[in-house]
Amino acid sequence: MTARARVRAPELIGKGGWLNTGGRPLTLAELRGRVVILDFWTFCCVNCLHVLDELRELEEKHRDTVVIVGVHSPKFVHEAEHQAVVDAVERYQVHHPVLDDPELGTWKQYAVRAWPTLVVIDPEGYVVAQHAGEGHAHALEALVTELEAEHGAKGTLRRGEGPYVAPEPVATHLRFPGKALALDGGGFLVSDTTRHQLVELAADGESVVRRIGDGERGLVDGGPDVARFSEPQGLALLPDGSVVVADTVNHALRRLDPATGAVTTIAGTGGQWWQGFPTAGPAREVALSSPWDVAWFAGRLWIAMAGVHQLWTYDPVAETVGVAAGTTNEGLVDGPAEEAWFAQPSGLAAAGDRLWVADSETSSVRWVESDGVGFVVRTAVGTGLFDFGHRDGAAGQALLQHPLGVTALPDGSVAISDTYNNALRRFDPATGEVTTLATDLREPSDAVLAGEDVVVVESARHRLTRLRLPEEAVRVESAAHRTRRPATEVAAGPFRLDVVFTAPAGQKSDDRYGPSTRLLVSSTPPELLLEGEGKGTDLGRDLVLNPEVAEGVLHVSAMAASCDDDSDNEFPACHMHQQDWGVPVLLAAGGAGRLALVLAGMDEPGE
């Protein structure tokens, strides 16, 4: 049995209270005897959604010994609203207790630095492991099995039903719809995300014409009564009249034949893309990562690949896919497409020679266009990962809050589904101004034109809402915000960065084909780092922080691969672990000279 540090788990606190417990608060004391996995998440974060999906199998397999507790820790102001958390728990089918922690009380108690982070507490109430980022399901499975054996032998393991109480189902035609497509004849096709279906509605936007998909989560091709999706989102027409569906949690593109309702898979393997995987090739042989929206532009189908902060394209003639823009680094950087940075692109709209992009995590609207040589990326509205709000006026100072959709309007302007501001906004390239078209919407995620009207997908009201485009903008009191995460006080000058990674039990680092780890470090502003920027293979690095920069953000991306430790197997199974951190820092006298970011394991610098 591997020796572990004994750190008592702090109690769970959150002013928003508990969900999925029948209204009853939980304490760690009453969970004693179970393996508890805390999942620190926020519902804007696509990596957090990946982890929710990763945990489903573990949750089912060990349901009598493991209790997963989601600790909702908001980034955006909207995410601190209790009803928004209630909606997200249903939207993403979270089937375990969730603590709503709007003031990040439990986040601070556990010294969490990134979304998502998983903390494992043993049956005696001690923290035994911490994992940041994605790809830890195999490690958690091994650790849970080990803890079951250890505490079963000691008599400290308690089996039985968990504290999860399912909420009462609600009957509506749609449930958290994601995107919509206007059909010939005036009807609409809608991705009914939470029910894993496509729904065709009549021209009134309410009457159901037909449903496509049997409503169960899965990846199954076939007719409308047998096909299965998993949280579908974006929809786009191909030139041949078929519809492409961004089947987000299946990491796939599906093709719908509108005439027959038949569904086929045209891109993706059904598995998630990871660093090191192919980035181009036959569409059915290349993995994708949370495709969120699709649009036909410049002779290709463009894909908002939210899971890896990129734009890809699909060629329906050659039946190939490939990266078109973005480096996989998360942030806001303009320039040549291959050098640009995105942050969870979630909405696309083609208009003439521009492809508009809703880049949700940077609360920005951007566009792609040709410069005669290749494609370039430019920003219309937005400044970066940590600034957001609701402010109209000149685009250079206007603010959005996690927009998920963009819609090209007839006059050349762009409607913005400003999701977390519950508003429909407008950017006019001719004037460079941002205005508000409508408020009092509930998490609008898309909009489509219908004659002189715009039809908005009100995702959290489970409906389509028809609006007449106003001649004058709505006046809204401006508000500016920054992320609620507290800054880490650090010392100027020489500074040590350590990414902690311990291979899970039964695994080892595999360096047969080169280094198994990767580290990428940068900063905002760039002047913050005098030394230490760039790529490397060591998970520790000496930096030098500029004393003339008062505050900023350290951007750290780490990856580590471990393989099953089986000497008899020439090709052992290998597992990828990766995480991106954006750590706000404040340079201060007496600040820390070391920053430890836990990818997997425990930070024990004294050993």
Side-chain angles (χ1 to χ4, degrees):
M1 188 62 60
T2 305
R4 301 188 193 90
R6 303 280 284 177
V7 178
R8 176 65 71 178
E11 191 49 82
L12 306 177
I13 55 174
K15 289 197 171 181
W18 288 87
L19 306 176
N20 285 352
T21 63
R24 188 173 62 85
L26 297 182
T27 66
L28 287 178
E30 67 182 280
L31 297 177
R32 200 67 50 82
R34 313 295 287 274
V35 179
V36 178
I37 300 176
L38 304 182
D39 176 18
F40 289 87
W41 70 297
T42 188
F43 62 80
C44 73
C45 163
V46 71
N47 310 93
C48 299
L49 304 185
H50 290 167
V51 168
L52 283 175
D53 201 50
E54 289 177 2
L55 292 175
R56 294 186 200 280
E57 184 177 347
L58 178 78
E59 193 168 27
E60 179 61 29
K61 183 177 179 180
H62 298 274
R63 61 188 310 168
D64 64 335
T65 58
V66 172
V67 175
I68 297 175
V69 174
V71 182
H72 189 268
S73 313
K75 170 186 174 180
F76 290 99
V77 169
H78 175 68
E79 293 175 304
E81 297 174 9
H82 182 69
Q83 185 57 49
V85 181
V86 173
D87 290 341
V89 167
E90 181 189 351
R91 179 196 301 268
Y92 297 115
Q93 298 180 318
V94 180
H95 294 162
H96 50 249
V98 173
L99 175 64
D100 181 10
D101 184 18
E103 296 181 355
L104 303 181
T106 296
W107 168 288
K108 295 171 186 174
Q109 290 271 38
Y110 282 82
V112 175
R113 296 187 184 278
W115 298 279
T117 291
L118 299 166
V119 175
V120 182
I121 302 170
D122 72 11
E124 294 181 288
Y126 291 93
V127 175
V128 293
Q130 182 171 324
H131 303 270
E134 306 175 47
H136 302 293
H138 187 273
L140 289 173
E141 170 67 33
L143 178 56
V144 165
T145 301
E146 184 180 342
L147 289 171
E148 287 175 339
E150 175 186 348
H151 289 274
K154 289 173 64 175
T156 51
L157 183 69
R158 177 168 56 89
R159 295 179 180 271
E161 289 295 319
Y164 169 67
V165 177
E168 289 293 324
V170 180
T172 54
H173 289 317
L174 302 173
R175 206 69 192 163
F176 297 104
K179 304 288 186 180
L181 180 68
L183 302 174
D184 290 341
F188 304 93
L189 186 67
V190 183
S191 54
D192 197 15
T193 304
T194 299
R195 292 202 176 117
H196 315 298
Q197 291 180 317
L198 307 180
V199 178
E200 183 179 340
L201 300 177
D204 62 5
E206 298 179 9
S207 304
V208 175
V209 176
R210 62 173 172 169
R211 294 181 179 274
I212 298 163
D214 71 356
E216 295 294 325
R217 184 190 297 272
L219 179 55
V220 178
D221 288 342
D225 297 330
V226 300
R228 288 186 172 180
F229 302 91
S230 187
E231 299 182 28
Q233 287 282 348
L235 306 165
L237 276 174
L238 289 181
D240 65 3
S242 62
V243 176
V244 175
V245 183
D247 196 5
T248 304
V249 178
N250 276 328
H251 310 294
L253 298 184
R254 318 289 293 282
R255 177 186 179 274
L256 168 69
D257 182 340
T260 66
V263 176
T264 54
T265 301
I266 60 172
T269 63
Q272 184 181 344
W273 186 93
W274 292 91
Q275 291 286 352
F277 280 20
T279 56
R284 290 297 308 274
E285 299 175 16
V286 177
L288 309 180
S289 182
S290 293
W292 210 276
D293 203 6
V294 282
W296 185 259
F297 173 70
R300 296 287 188 276
L301 184 79
W302 287 65
I303 310 163
M305 202 75 78
V308 286
H309 318 301
Q310 290 180 312
L311 303 181
W312 288 39
T313 59
Y314 167 72
D315 182 341
V317 176
E319 297 184 344
T320 56
V321 293
V323 175
T327 64
T328 75
N329 295 328
E330 185 179 15
L332 194 156
V333 176
D334 290 341
E338 64 274 11
E339 300 174 10
W341 291 23
F342 294 91
Q344 215 168 297
S346 301
L348 299 175
D353 59 358
R354 289 186 177 184
L355 177 70
W356 295 99
V357 183
D359 201 27
S360 62
E361 280 294 288
T362 53
S363 297
S364 67
V365 169
R366 308 172 71 186
W367 80 86
V368 177
E369 65 182 357
S370 173
D371 64 357
V373 179
F375 289 103
V376 294
V377 178
R378 310 191 194 282
T379 297
V381 186
T383 60
L385 284 166
F386 300 103
D387 295 297
F388 54 91
H390 192 146
R391 180 192 289 153
D392 289 330
Q397 56 86 53
L399 293 172
L400 310 170
Q401 187 178 180
H402 197 79
L404 290 178
V406 281
T407 306
L409 298 179
D411 64 357
S413 65
V414 182
I416 306 162
S417 295
D418 194 4
T419 310
Y420 288 2
N421 278 327
N422 297 311
L424 188 69
R425 312 283 293 283
R426 177 178 177 266
F427 167 66
D428 186 349
T431 64
E433 293 287 312
V434 174
T435 54
T436 297
L437 298 176
T439 58
D440 193 31
L441 302 169
R442 283 281 304 279
E443 295 192 9
S445 54
D446 196 19
V448 295
L449 290 173
E452 296 182 354
D453 299 336
V454 62
V455 176
V456 180
V457 180
E458 273 199 275
S459 189
R461 280 202 177 109
H462 320 293
R463 71 187 189 192
L464 303 188
T465 298
R466 185 180 291 264
L467 302 173
R468 180 58 52 91
L469 286 172
E471 294 182 4
E472 294 185 6
V474 177
R475 295 185 63 85
V476 177
E477 184 178 352
S478 66
H481 306 287
R482 284 183 64 83
T483 181
R484 291 168 170 247
R485 276 195 295 170
T488 300
E489 292 193 353
V490 297
F495 185 80
R496 180 66 181 177
L497 171 68
D498 288 315
V499 173
V500 178
F501 176 75
T502 303
Q507 298 178 34
K508 64 178 181 180
S509 297
D510 187 352
D511 299 319
R512 290 177 299 172
Y513 307 107
S516 61
T517 56
R518 187 195 73 166
L519 182 65
L520 174 67
V521 180
S522 61
S523 67
T524 302
E527 296 77 24
L528 174 63
L529 275 178
L530 294 177
E531 294 181 19
E533 181 181 9
K535 298 179 181 179
T537 56
D538 292 335
L539 291 182
R541 188 174 300 179
D542 292 317
L543 312 177
V544 177
L545 303 183
N546 189 347
E548 297 182 5
V549 177
E551 61 180 330
V553 179
L554 287 175
H555 302 284
V556 181
S557 177
M559 182 185 74
S562 59
C563 299
D564 293 346
D565 190 2
D566 183 356
S567 58
D568 296 330
N569 187 349
E570 184 179 358
F571 302 104
C574 293
H575 312 275
M576 201 74 71
H577 316 264
Q578 66 182 43
Q579 172 62 6
D580 297 330
W581 289 270
V583 183
V585 295
L586 181 67
L587 274 65
R594 174 180 180 266
L595 175 64
L597 301 174
V598 178
L599 180 60
M602 299 284 286
D603 179 35
E604 300 174 51
E607 294 193 353

Coordinates of all heavy atoms in Angstrom, one line a residue, residues 250-299:
N250 N -20.3 13.8 -27.9 CA -19.8 12.6 -28.7 C -18.6 13.0 -29.4 O -18.0 12.1 -30.1 CB -20.9 12.1 -29.6 CG -21.9 11.2 -29.0 OD1 -21.5 10.4 -28.1 ND2 -23.1 11.2 -29.5
H251 N -18.1 14.3 -29.4 CA -16.9 14.7 -30.1 C -17.0 14.3 -31.6 O -16.1 13.7 -32.1 CB -15.7 14.2 -29.5 CG -15.6 14.4 -28.0 ND1 -15.5 15.6 -27.4 CD2 -15.7 13.5 -27.0 CE1 -15.5 15.5 -26.1 NE2 -15.6 14.2 -25.8
A252 N -18.2 14.6 -32.2 CA -18.4 14.1 -33.6 C -19.3 15.1 -34.3 O -19.9 16.0 -33.8 CB -19.1 12.8 -33.5
L253 N -19.2 15.0 -35.7 CA -20.2 15.7 -36.5 C -21.1 14.6 -37.1 O -20.6 13.6 -37.6 CB -19.4 16.4 -37.7 CG -18.4 17.5 -37.3 CD1 -17.9 18.2 -38.6 CD2 -19.1 18.6 -36.4
R254 N -22.4 14.9 -37.1 CA -23.4 14.0 -37.7 C -24.1 14.7 -38.8 O -24.2 15.9 -38.9 CB -24.4 13.7 -36.6 CG -23.8 13.4 -35.2 CD -23.1 12.1 -35.1 NE -23.9 10.9 -35.3 CZ -24.7 10.4 -34.3 NH1 -24.8 11.0 -33.2 NH2 -25.5 9.3 -34.6
R255 N -24.5 13.9 -39.8 CA -25.3 14.4 -40.9 C -26.7 14.0 -40.9 O -27.0 12.8 -40.6 CB -24.6 13.9 -42.2 CG -25.4 14.4 -43.5 CD -24.8 13.7 -44.7 NE -25.5 14.1 -46.0 CZ -26.6 13.5 -46.4 NH1 -27.1 12.5 -45.7 NH2 -27.2 13.9 -47.5
L256 N -27.6 14.9 -41.0 CA -29.0 14.7 -41.0 C -29.6 14.8 -42.4 O -29.4 15.9 -43.1 CB -29.8 15.6 -40.1 CG -31.3 15.6 -40.2 CD1 -31.9 14.3 -39.7 CD2 -31.9 16.8 -39.4
D257 N -30.3 13.8 -42.9 CA -31.0 13.9 -44.2 C -32.4 14.5 -43.8 O -33.2 13.7 -43.2 CB -31.1 12.6 -44.8 CG -31.8 12.6 -46.2 OD1 -32.6 13.6 -46.4 OD2 -31.6 11.7 -47.0
P258 N -32.7 15.7 -44.1 CA -34.0 16.3 -43.7 C -35.2 15.6 -44.3 O -36.3 15.5 -43.7 CB -33.9 17.7 -44.3 CG -32.5 18.0 -44.4 CD -31.8 16.7 -44.8
A259 N -35.0 14.9 -45.4 CA -36.2 14.3 -46.1 C -36.5 13.0 -45.3 O -37.7 12.7 -45.1 CB -35.8 13.9 -47.5
T260 N -35.6 12.2 -44.9 CA -35.8 10.9 -44.3 C -35.7 10.9 -42.8 O -36.2 10.1 -42.1 CB -34.9 9.8 -44.8 OG1 -33.6 10.1 -44.5 CG2 -35.1 9.8 -46.3
G261 N -34.9 11.9 -42.2 CA -34.6 11.9 -40.8 C -33.5 11.0 -40.4 O -33.2 10.9 -39.3
A262 N -32.8 10.4 -41.4 CA -31.7 9.5 -41.2 C -30.5 10.3 -40.7 O -30.2 11.4 -41.2 CB -31.4 8.7 -42.4
V263 N -29.7 9.7 -39.8 CA -28.6 10.3 -39.2 C -27.3 9.4 -39.4 O -27.4 8.2 -39.2 CB -28.7 10.6 -37.7 CG1 -27.5 11.1 -37.0 CG2 -29.9 11.5 -37.4
T264 N -26.3 10.0 -39.9 CA -25.0 9.3 -40.1 C -23.9 10.1 -39.5 O -24.0 11.4 -39.4 CB -24.7 9.1 -41.6 OG1 -24.7 10.3 -42.3 CG2 -25.7 8.1 -42.2
T265 N -22.8 9.5 -39.1 CA -21.6 10.1 -38.5 C -20.7 10.4 -39.7 O -20.3 9.5 -40.4 CB -20.9 9.3 -37.5 OG1 -21.9 9.0 -36.4 CG2 -19.7 10.0 -36.9
I266 N -20.2 11.7 -39.8 CA -19.3 12.1 -40.9 C -18.0 12.5 -40.4 O -17.0 12.5 -41.2 CB -19.9 13.2 -41.7 CG1 -20.2 14.5 -40.9 CG2 -21.2 12.7 -42.4 CD1 -20.6 15.7 -41.7
A267 N -17.8 12.8 -39.1 CA -16.5 13.2 -38.6 C -16.3 12.8 -37.2 O -17.3 12.9 -36.4 CB -16.2 14.7 -38.9
G268 N -15.1 12.5 -36.8 CA -14.8 12.2 -35.4 C -14.8 10.7 -35.2 O -15.4 9.9 -35.9
T269 N -14.2 10.3 -34.1 CA -14.0 8.8 -33.8 C -15.0 8.5 -32.6 O -15.1 7.3 -32.3 CB -12.6 8.5 -33.3 OG1 -12.3 9.3 -32.1 CG2 -11.6 8.9 -34.4
G270 N -15.6 9.4 -32.0 CA -16.4 9.2 -30.8 C -15.6 9.4 -29.6 O -16.1 9.4 -28.5
G271 N -14.3 9.5 -29.7 CA -13.4 9.8 -28.6 C -12.9 11.2 -28.6 O -13.0 11.9 -29.7
Q272 N -12.4 11.7 -27.5 CA -11.9 13.1 -27.4 C -10.5 13.3 -27.9 O -9.6 12.4 -27.7 CB -12.0 13.5 -25.9 CG -11.6 15.0 -25.7 CD -11.7 15.4 -24.2 OE1 -12.3 14.6 -23.4 NE2 -11.1 16.5 -23.9
W273 N -10.2 14.3 -28.6 CA -8.9 14.7 -29.1 C -8.0 15.1 -27.9 O -8.4 15.8 -27.0 CB -9.0 15.8 -30.1 CG -7.7 16.2 -30.8 CD1 -7.2 15.7 -31.9 CD2 -6.6 17.1 -30.3 NE1 -5.9 16.2 -32.2 CE2 -5.6 17.1 -31.2 CE3 -6.5 17.9 -29.1 CZ2 -4.5 17.9 -31.1 CZ3 -5.4 18.7 -29.0 CH2 -4.4 18.7 -29.9
W274 N -6.8 14.6 -27.9 CA -5.8 15.0 -26.9 C -4.5 15.5 -27.6 O -4.2 15.1 -28.8 CB -5.4 13.8 -26.0 CG -6.5 13.4 -25.2 CD1 -7.5 12.4 -25.4 CD2 -6.8 13.9 -23.9 NE1 -8.4 12.3 -24.4 CE2 -8.0 13.2 -23.4 CE3 -6.2 14.8 -23.0 CZ2 -8.6 13.4 -22.1 CZ3 -6.8 15.0 -21.8 CH2 -7.9 14.4 -21.3
Q275 N -3.7 16.2 -26.9 CA -2.4 16.7 -27.4 C -1.6 15.5 -27.9 O -1.5 14.4 -27.3 CB -1.6 17.4 -26.4 CG -2.2 18.7 -26.0 CD -2.0 19.8 -27.0 OE1 -1.3 19.6 -28.0 NE2 -2.6 21.0 -26.8
G276 N -1.0 15.6 -29.1 CA -0.3 14.5 -29.7 C -1.1 13.7 -30.7 O -0.5 13.0 -31.5
F277 N -2.4 13.9 -30.7 CA -3.3 13.2 -31.7 C -3.2 13.9 -33.1 O -2.8 15.1 -33.1 CB -4.7 13.2 -31.3 CG -5.1 12.2 -30.2 CD1 -4.1 11.6 -29.4 CD2 -6.4 11.8 -30.0 CE1 -4.4 10.6 -28.5 CE2 -6.7 10.9 -29.0 CZ -5.8 10.3 -28.3
P278 N -3.5 13.2 -34.2 CA -3.5 13.9 -35.5 C -4.4 15.1 -35.5 O -5.5 15.1 -34.9 CB -4.0 12.7 -36.4 CG -3.7 11.5 -35.7 CD -3.8 11.8 -34.2
T279 N -4.0 16.1 -36.3 CA -4.8 17.3 -36.4 C -5.3 17.5 -37.8 O -5.9 18.5 -38.1 CB -3.9 18.5 -36.0 OG1 -2.7 18.6 -36.9 CG2 -3.5 18.5 -34.6
A280 N -5.2 16.5 -38.6 CA -5.8 16.5 -40.0 C -5.8 15.1 -40.5 O -5.0 14.2 -40.1 CB -4.9 17.4 -40.9
G281 N -6.7 14.8 -41.4 CA -6.8 13.5 -42.1 C -8.2 13.1 -42.4 O -9.1 13.9 -42.3
P282 N -8.4 11.8 -42.7 CA -9.7 11.3 -43.0 C -10.7 11.6 -41.8 O -10.3 11.4 -40.7 CB -9.5 9.8 -43.2 CG -8.1 9.7 -43.6 CD -7.4 10.8 -42.9
A283 N -11.8 12.2 -42.1 CA -12.7 12.8 -41.1 C -13.1 11.7 -40.0 O -13.2 12.1 -38.9 CB -13.9 13.4 -41.7
R284 N -13.3 10.5 -40.4 CA -13.8 9.5 -39.5 C -12.6 8.9 -38.7 O -12.9 8.1 -37.7 CB -14.5 8.3 -40.2 CG -15.9 8.7 -40.8 CD -16.9 9.2 -39.7 NE -17.0 8.2 -38.6 CZ -17.8 7.1 -38.6 NH1 -18.6 6.9 -39.6 NH2 -17.8 6.3 -37.6
E285 N -11.4 9.3 -39.0 CA -10.2 8.7 -38.3 C -9.5 9.7 -37.4 O -8.6 9.4 -36.7 CB -9.2 8.2 -39.3 CG -9.8 7.0 -40.2 CD -8.8 6.6 -41.3 OE1 -7.6 6.9 -41.2 OE2 -9.3 5.9 -42.3
V286 N -10.0 10.9 -37.4 CA -9.4 12.0 -36.6 C -10.4 12.4 -35.5 O -11.5 12.7 -35.7 CB -9.1 13.2 -37.4 CG1 -8.5 14.3 -36.6 CG2 -8.1 12.9 -38.5
A287 N -9.9 12.3 -34.2 CA -10.7 12.7 -33.1 C -11.0 14.2 -33.0 O -10.1 15.0 -33.4 CB -10.0 12.3 -31.8
L288 N -12.1 14.6 -32.5 CA -12.5 16.0 -32.3 C -12.6 16.2 -30.8 O -12.5 15.3 -30.0 CB -13.8 16.3 -33.0 CG -13.9 15.9 -34.5 CD1 -15.3 16.3 -35.0 CD2 -12.8 16.5 -35.3
S289 N -12.9 17.5 -30.4 CA -13.0 17.8 -29.0 C -14.1 18.9 -28.8 O -13.9 20.0 -29.1 CB -11.7 18.3 -28.4 OG -11.8 18.6 -27.0
S290 N -15.3 18.4 -28.4 CA -16.4 19.3 -28.1 C -16.7 20.3 -29.2 O -16.7 21.5 -28.9 CB -16.2 20.0 -26.7 OG -16.2 19.1 -25.7
P291 N -17.0 19.8 -30.4 CA -17.4 20.8 -31.4 C -18.7 21.5 -31.0 O -19.7 20.8 -30.7 CB -17.6 19.9 -32.7 CG -17.9 18.5 -32.1 CD -17.1 18.5 -30.8
W292 N -18.8 22.8 -30.9 CA -19.9 23.5 -30.3 C -20.8 24.2 -31.4 O -22.0 24.4 -31.2 CB -19.4 24.6 -29.3 CG -20.4 24.8 -28.2 CD1 -21.5 25.7 -28.3 CD2 -20.4 24.2 -26.9 NE1 -22.1 25.6 -27.1 CE2 -21.5 24.7 -26.2 CE3 -19.6 23.3 -26.3 CZ2 -21.8 24.4 -24.9 CZ3 -19.9 22.9 -25.0 CH2 -21.0 23.4 -24.3
D293 N -20.2 24.6 -32.5 CA -21.0 25.2 -33.6 C -20.4 24.9 -34.9 O -19.2 24.6 -35.0 CB -21.2 26.7 -33.3 CG -22.4 27.2 -34.1 OD1 -23.2 26.4 -34.6 OD2 -22.6 28.5 -34.0
V294 N -21.1 25.1 -36.0 CA -20.7 24.8 -37.3 C -21.3 25.9 -38.3 O -22.4 26.4 -38.0 CB -21.1 23.4 -37.8 CG1 -20.1 22.4 -37.3 CG2 -22.5 23.1 -37.5
A295 N -20.5 26.2 -39.3 CA -21.0 27.2 -40.3 C -20.3 27.0 -41.6 O -19.1 26.7 -41.7 CB -20.8 28.6 -39.8
W296 N -21.0 27.2 -42.7 CA -20.4 27.0 -44.1 C -19.8 28.4 -44.5 O -20.4 29.4 -44.5 CB -21.5 26.6 -45.1 CG -20.9 26.4 -46.4 CD1 -20.9 27.2 -47.5 CD2 -20.2 25.2 -46.8 NE1 -20.3 26.6 -48.6 CE2 -19.8 25.3 -48.2 CE3 -19.9 24.0 -46.2 CZ2 -19.1 24.4 -48.9 CZ3 -19.2 23.0 -46.9 CH2 -18.8 23.2 -48.3
F297 N -18.4 28.3 -44.8 CA -17.7 29.6 -45.1 C -16.5 29.2 -45.9 O -15.8 28.2 -45.7 CB -17.2 30.2 -43.8 CG -16.3 31.4 -44.0 CD1 -16.8 32.6 -44.5 CD2 -15.0 31.3 -43.6 CE1 -16.0 33.7 -44.6 CE2 -14.2 32.4 -43.8 CZ -14.7 33.6 -44.3
A298 N -16.3 30.0 -47.0 CA -15.1 29.8 -47.9 C -15.0 28.4 -48.4 O -13.8 27.9 -48.5 CB -13.9 30.3 -47.1
G299 N -16.1 27.8 -48.8 CA -16.0 26.5 -49.4 C -15.8 25.3 -48.5 O -15.5 24.2 -48.9

